[in-house]
Amino acid sequence: MTVSAKPPSGTRDFLPADVARREHVVSMIRRAYERHGFVPLETPTMERIEVLLGKYGDEGDQLIFRVLKRGEKLEVTAESTPDDLADLALRYDLTVPLARVVAAHSGSLPRYFRRYQIQPVWRADRPQKGRYREFYQCDVDFVGSTSIVAEHTVITAVTDALAALGFGGFTIRLNDRRVLTGIMDVAGVAEAERGGILTAIDKLDKIGIDGVRAEFVERGLNETQIAALEPVLAAISASEHPEASSTLLDQFGALLSPSAAGSAGIATMRELFALLSAAPVAAGRVAFDPSLARGLSYYTGPIFEIAVDGLSGSMGGGGRYDGLVGMFAGKSIPAVGFSLGLERLLVVMEERGMYPDVRRGSDVVVTRLDAASTEACLGIARGLREAGVRCEVFPDLDKLGKQFKYAEEIGARWVVLAGERELRDATAVVRDLLTGEQTTHPLSQLAEYVRSVVGGR
Amino acid sequence: MTVSAKPPSGTRDFLPADVARREHVVSMIRRAYERHGFVPLETPTMERIEVLLGKYGDEGDQLIFRVLKRGEKLEVTAESTPDDLADLALRYDLTVPLARVVAAHSGSLPRYFRRYQIQPVWRADRPQKGRYREFYQCDVDFVGSTSIVAEHTVITAVTDALAALGFGGFTIRLNDRRVLTGIMDVAGVAEAERGGILTAIDKLDKIGIDGVRAEFVERGLNETQIAALEPVLAAISASEHPEASSTLLDQFGALLSPSAAGSAGIATMRELFALLSAAPVAAGRVAFDPSLARGLSYYTGPIFEIAVDGLSGSMGGGGRYDGLVGMFAGKSIPAVGFSLGLERLLVVMEERGMYPDVRRGSDVVVTRLDAASTEACLGIARGLREAGVRCEVFPDLDKLGKQFKYAEEIGARWVVLAGERELRDATAVVRDLLTGEQTTHPLSQLAEYVRSVVGGR
């Protein structure tokens, strides 16, 4: 055997117990998204490479899995670049495909396209603990409205999903891209410098306040400018003290009053903060955090993250990006989105024992005692399935002990025994492997009895 | 706009109505498979290229989508072949990944691994009507037993799935690879010629009896040999006349008595035919068809196809392949599998109007009459969702007529209206857009009323 049987680096096989857990989580998220009126979209695994290139920055372009051209289309020379050799690429996120779909199907989409999409994406990142090359995103996007109802809807869809999964304690951190713009306005940071400064602020939780200050100096800000940015750094703890949000909103409202963008951002924050706080589940759990920056390349308005109590980092985030969805349609289309990362949710739920019983597989194994009973055993299984019971017939003629052992191995709690004597009497024995209890039933009442103890599916 | 918004050739975007239909079908198939004790497996989209190459024949190798090596691993010269440039490839079927998983996870799998897998596969075929480059397979495989219970289980799992989807009339065509071997034995066809002869027989339904006879001559068979193969050609109509199966089994039993393989095949066919015919759903619908050949490269025992009444071709097929699953484990592991093609099922169900109401999306749109009512409207929606009703709040302040029009556009039958007067009275109006009927309800009883007319989700 020369070929390794392992899956490719950074990818995983999901055995049945894994699939059951993943499907439980996905199904709860879907149902929450659907309660909020979102509808499912699925796009192809591959996109034409020109659809993806240039959308994720240079670093992103490097991480795209490219698919080789085929047949005569593939011309190889010593100078061929990866982009010469590839015409397709694997989906890198779910937002660019959404933008493409909005352009391709504009005639078939309703005025507001409220779609969710739960599919894998692929990034050729260095694999490490908890970070994979194939992983799922659970995105919800509200396309077509500038109303704050859109922000409110995607955020509550996500908090509803988390609550349904059993996460009682979470915090919604809010900021607005225009608040950050306002701060730059007030501090007099030149347009060209703003991206770098925002990147520095984004690292606040990794490198700390002193680290960010040092970056400000490195990037050539003077003392007055750094002093003007201090309130942002001071606000780092805002998300841990949601009760401070009202004060912070007032403070930043005053601070940013000279900036039109900043004032608009604060007004939106006040409104969103109030609307979100009105829901009992979110009361006391919404925090205005002016230090929240996120990857700011395409956000244009409110941005948000959800953190779960007791965990560092966020379970997901999003924001308003009014410039992106229209890129293939050639016009501006407003949109707000939120992306939950499935893998992190699964790890945390596993660690905290948050899974209900999601076992699949037979509840009942019909044992086989001799070749003559095969047809009868298959008939018994058919009757159980018609009653909605998950069951299987043991395939080989093996000692009864081995058949019981197999039933235990797959987690089936019950076995049915129908030997020569039982079949002559038109009966079968049901044995509960957990309690050892055995009962005998007429074949005509067997399915009903088993269904009553096992439950139908 | 220079970049096309179309999905790549041979792939499709699935809009919400498409996804709902696909998920309905997949969910019925899964439940049928699970009633038969099968458990779900998922494998990565990409496999290491050496895992796939050489498993599907030369033609298959050409159709594999190869993924370009990344970074320093990619060395391009004018002589580079596609296999030099790629280290990964997209999944081509679900059987080779199963074989890899059985080798990689042998310690964690039960004695019998009864897995189903419903995932897309990719083939760089020429796209044409009904044939795609990205399409789903719904496979069910029973790994680890040579018992005929395995064949019976995969076949009934599939017939159960078809019945659940509403296909009342289908025919199960059965043959055994050893019956075909026996026929070659009796006809004295040399080992080296057998593959070609089987390929010719496999074309029976495409090129007709005379076409197959012509191929026999071309391939150098003499008159005696062709005469010995005639009963197979004569059996072409067997699947249309299941009642002829018993006669055919007797006829071929006598014919193949000189061949050990042929006799073993007939004995198995008799047993499987009897066991399958015992189920009421299959009675009169099982046919022994000695002309059924299928892609014979890896089948070792029974082979089968399911045809739906009124449709040419099959909805799916499978068989026993005792040599394949062990290929990465380096030992022989018996297995029987059945693969249903999802796309064909969907087309037929669409044509025949077999879909129940699978609509997603809001049942209720909460209209908004003025900015002051936003918080109240969001609160009404929250209450409806808590009662399990799918609903959304209209985001923009638009004329009521436009809000109604949008509700109709997304298929929401009900709208809720809460204007200044209603909110002052702590009431809301529910309007049925289908009947035009309007009723007023106290806010405290609104969710209960809406749930009673809409139904919970």
Side-chain angles (χ1 to χ4, degrees):
Chain A
M1 183 187 143
T2 51
V3 174
S4 159
K6 285 191 187 154
S9 170
T11 71
R12 294 160 290 168
D13 293 320
F14 297 119
L15 297 186
D18 305 318
V19 176
R21 277 191 219 106
R22 296 175 72 84
E23 285 180 349
H24 165 74
V25 173
V26 166
S27 125
M28 300 303 270
I29 294 172
R30 290 160 50 116
R31 281 159 67 179
Y33 287 177
E34 292 188 0
R35 277 193 297 271
H36 285 73
F38 292 94
V39 287
L41 174 71
E42 290 184 11
T43 62
T45 292
M46 293 184 280
E47 292 284 354
R48 275 173 296 95
I49 196 162
E50 64 268 26
V51 166
L52 302 191
L53 285 180
K55 309 303 186 297
Y56 307 107
D58 288 345
E59 202 189 334
D61 280 355
Q62 299 298 318
L63 301 182
I64 290 174
F65 280 104
R66 289 161 172 78
V67 176
L68 203 61
K69 291 178 181 171
R70 294 149 307 284
E72 289 172 6
K73 283 191 188 161
L74 180 66
E75 287 178 37
V76 186
T77 72
E79 284 74 42
S80 298
T81 67
D83 292 339
D84 297 333
L85 301 171
D87 56 351
L88 300 168
L90 300 194
R91 186 167 58 219
Y92 183 88
D93 73 358
L94 304 176
T95 308
V96 168
L98 170 64
R100 186 183 56 65
V101 164
V102 166
H105 305 272
S106 57
S108 348
L109 301 180
R111 173 170 168 186
Y112 305 113
F113 186 37
R114 305 157 56 101
R115 85 90 175 79
Y116 71 88
Q117 188 167 359
I118 301 178
Q119 286 196 287
V121 301
W122 293 267
R123 296 181 188 176
D125 247 325
R126 190 184 300 270
Q128 45 183 281
K129 192 176 176 332
R131 183 183 286 184
Y132 303 99
R133 292 181 154 190
E134 172 176 63
F135 59 96
Y136 274 70
Q137 292 188 332
C138 310
D139 277 22
V140 63
D141 288 84
F142 192 130
V143 177
S145 176
T146 55
S147 161
I148 203 162
V149 168
E151 275 88 348
H152 186 274
T153 305
V154 300
I155 293 172
T156 53
V158 169
T159 55
D160 189 4
L162 290 172
L165 287 169
F167 289 98
F170 48 80
T171 306
I172 307 163
R173 295 165 70 204
L174 299 176
N175 195 12
D176 193 298
R177 203 240 154 112
R178 293 164 297 175
V179 168
L180 292 165
T181 303
I183 291 163
M184 303 288 166
D185 288 348
V186 170
V189 176
E191 197 67 44
E193 291 298 324
R194 292 185 171 195
I197 299 302
L198 288 173
T199 306
I201 295 173
D202 202 26
K203 292 194 228 163
L204 194 50
D205 57 346
K206 293 199 188 85
I207 61 177
I209 290 185
D210 291 339
V212 176
R213 279 195 199 109
E215 280 219 20
F216 287 169
V217 173
E218 260 174 57
R219 288 177 182 277
L221 296 196
N222 62 36
E223 280 185 25
T224 319
Q225 289 177 313
I226 294 176
L229 291 168
E230 279 294 335
V232 174
L233 305 186
I236 184 175
S237 61
S239 64
E240 283 149 41
H241 304 285
E243 66 280 8
S245 290
S246 298
T247 314
L248 271 176
L249 281 166
D250 291 341
Q251 180 195 342
F252 276 79
L255 198 69
L256 301 182
S257 60
S259 159
S263 298
I266 290 293
T268 300
M269 283 295 97
R270 283 189 197 280
E271 195 180 356
L272 189 55
F273 180 78
L275 290 176
L276 285 170
S277 300
V281 65
R285 303 207 152 270
V286 187
F288 169 59
D289 180 357
S291 74
L292 177 66
R294 291 189 62 76
L296 269 156
S297 53
Y298 58 69
Y299 289 117
T300 57
I303 49 181
F304 26 84
E305 285 187 357
I306 292 200
V308 163
D309 288 2
L311 276 186
S312 66
S314 79
M315 298 300 271
R320 176 172 286 281
Y321 54 104
D322 286 345
L324 192 70
V325 166
M327 65 182 160
F328 299 108
K331 58 181 176 183
S332 176
I333 299 175
V336 183
F338 205 127
S339 183
L340 265 184
L342 183 62
E343 321 303 334
R344 185 108 202 272
L345 273 176
L346 287 159
V347 168
V348 176
M349 290 182 65
E350 174 77 36
E351 283 172 1
R352 298 188 174 182
M354 288 168 68
Y355 290 113
D357 175 21
V358 290
R359 200 187 71 82
R360 310 288 181 83
S362 298
D363 288 312
V364 178
V365 172
V366 179
T367 58
R368 269 175 83 216
L369 304 173
D370 52 55
S373 68
T374 305
E375 186 176 323
C377 290
L378 293 171
I380 287 172
R382 186 171 61 242
L384 294 179
R385 287 171 191 141
E386 281 169 3
V389 174
R390 296 192 307 226
C391 74
E392 61 187 78
V393 176
F394 193 87
D396 297 310
L397 291 172
D398 226 334
K399 284 180 188 156
L400 209 49
K402 288 201 172 176
Q403 301 195 35
F404 286 9
K405 195 180 150 209
Y406 168 74
E408 284 167 347
E409 188 184 4
I410 65 163
R413 178 169 159 182
W414 293 271
V415 294
V416 170
L417 300 98
E420 204 182 331
R421 191 166 54 114
E422 285 81 15
L423 291 175
R424 203 178 47 224
D425 300 347
T427 62
V429 172
V430 178
R431 183 185 175 95
D432 183 332
L433 294 175
L434 196 66
T435 64
E437 190 191 1
Q438 283 200 175
T439 48
T440 302
H441 305 268
L443 286 181
S444 60
Q445 293 165 29
L446 181 68
E448 194 184 338
Y449 170 74
V450 173
R451 192 200 164 101
S452 73
V453 293
V454 174
R457 307 277 173 177
Chain B
M1 182 187 140
T2 52
V3 174
S4 159
K6 285 190 186 155
S9 170
T11 71
R12 294 160 290 168
D13 294 320
F14 297 119
L15 298 186
D18 305 317
V19 176
R21 277 190 220 106
R22 297 175 71 83
E23 285 181 348
H24 165 74
V25 173
V26 166
S27 126
M28 300 303 270
I29 294 172
R30 288 161 49 117
R31 282 159 66 180
Y33 287 177
E34 291 187 0
R35 278 194 296 274
H36 286 74
F38 292 94
V39 286
L41 174 71
E42 289 183 13
T43 63
T45 292
M46 293 186 280
E47 292 284 354
R48 275 174 293 98
I49 196 161
E50 62 269 25
V51 166
L52 301 190
L53 285 180
K55 309 303 187 299
Y56 308 107
D58 287 346
E59 202 187 334
D61 280 355
Q62 298 299 316
L63 301 182
I64 290 174
F65 280 104
R66 289 161 173 77
V67 175
L68 204 61
K69 291 178 181 172
R70 294 149 306 283
E72 289 173 5
K73 283 191 189 163
L74 180 66
E75 287 178 37
V76 186
T77 72
E79 284 74 41
S80 298
T81 68
D83 292 337
D84 297 334
L85 300 171
D87 56 349
L88 300 168
L90 300 195
R91 186 168 56 219
Y92 183 88
D93 74 358
L94 304 177
T95 308
V96 168
L98 169 64
R100 186 183 56 65
V101 164
V102 166
H105 304 273
S106 58
S108 348
L109 301 179
R111 173 169 169 186
Y112 305 113
F113 186 37
R114 305 156 58 100
R115 85 89 176 80
Y116 72 87
Q117 188 168 359
I118 301 178
Q119 286 196 288
V121 300
W122 294 267
R123 297 181 187 175
D125 247 325
R126 189 185 300 270
Q128 46 183 281
K129 191 175 177 329
R131 182 182 287 183
Y132 304 99
R133 291 180 155 190
E134 173 177 62
F135 59 97
Y136 274 70
Q137 293 188 331
C138 310
D139 278 22
V140 62
D141 288 83
F142 192 131
V143 177
S145 175
T146 56
S147 161
I148 203 163
V149 167
E151 275 88 348
H152 187 274
T153 306
V154 300
I155 293 172
T156 54
V158 169
T159 55
D160 189 6
L162 290 172
L165 287 168
F167 289 99
F170 48 81
T171 306
I172 307 163
R173 294 165 70 205
L174 298 177
N175 195 12
D176 193 296
R177 202 238 154 115
R178 292 164 298 173
V179 168
L180 292 165
T181 303
I183 292 162
M184 302 289 167
D185 288 348
V186 170
V189 177
E191 196 66 45
E193 292 297 323
R194 293 184 171 195
I197 299 302
L198 289 173
T199 306
I201 295 173
D202 202 27
K203 293 192 229 164
L204 195 51
D205 58 346
K206 292 199 190 85
I207 61 177
I209 289 184
D210 291 338
V212 176
R213 277 195 202 109
E215 280 220 20
F216 286 169
V217 174
E218 261 174 57
R219 288 176 183 277
L221 295 196
N222 61 38
E223 280 186 25
T224 320
Q225 289 176 315
I226 294 176
L229 291 167
E230 279 294 335
V232 174
L233 306 186
I236 185 174
S237 60
S239 65
E240 282 148 43
H241 304 286
E243 66 281 8
S245 289
S246 296
T247 315
L248 271 178
L249 281 167
D250 291 341
Q251 181 196 342
F252 276 79
L255 198 69
L256 301 182
S257 61
S259 159
S263 299
I266 290 295
T268 300
M269 283 294 99
R270 282 187 197 282
E271 196 181 356
L272 189 54
F273 180 78
L275 291 177
L276 285 169
S277 300
V281 65
R285 300 206 154 273
V286 187
F288 168 59
D289 179 359
S291 75
L292 176 66
R294 291 188 61 77
L296 270 155
S297 54
Y298 58 70
Y299 289 118
T300 57
I303 50 180
F304 27 85
E305 283 187 0
I306 293 199
V308 164
D309 289 3
L311 275 186
S312 66
S314 78
M315 298 300 271
R320 177 172 285 281
Y321 54 103
D322 286 345
L324 192 69
V325 165
M327 66 182 159
F328 298 107
K331 59 180 176 183
S332 175
I333 299 174
V336 183
F338 206 125
S339 184
L340 265 184
L342 183 62
E343 320 303 334
R344 184 108 202 273
L345 274 176
L346 288 158
V347 168
V348 176
M349 291 182 65
E350 175 77 36
E351 283 172 3
R352 297 185 174 183
M354 289 168 68
Y355 290 112
D357 174 20
V358 290
R359 199 186 71 82
R360 310 288 181 84
S362 298
D363 288 312
V364 177
V365 172
V366 179
T367 59
R368 268 175 83 217
L369 305 172
D370 53 54
S373 68
T374 305
E375 186 176 324
C377 290
L378 293 171
I380 287 173
R382 186 172 61 242
L384 294 178
R385 287 170 192 143
E386 281 169 3
V389 173
R390 294 191 308 226
C391 73
E392 61 187 80
V393 175
F394 193 87
D396 297 310
L397 291 173
D398 226 334
K399 286 181 187 154
L400 209 49
K402 288 202 173 175
Q403 301 196 36
F404 286 9
K405 196 179 149 208
Y406 168 74
E408 284 167 347
E409 188 185 5
I410 64 163
R413 179 169 160 184
W414 292 272
V415 293
V416 170
L417 302 97
E420 203 182 329
R421 190 167 54 111
E422 285 80 15
L423 291 175
R424 203 177 47 226
D425 300 347
T427 62
V429 172
V430 178
R431 183 185 174 95
D432 183 333
L433 294 175
L434 196 67
T435 64
E437 190 190 2
Q438 282 200 177
T439 48
T440 303
H441 305 268
L443 286 181
S444 60
Q445 292 164 29
L446 180 69
E448 195 185 337
Y449 170 75
V450 173
R451 192 200 162 102
S452 73
V453 294
V454 173
R457 306 279 174 177

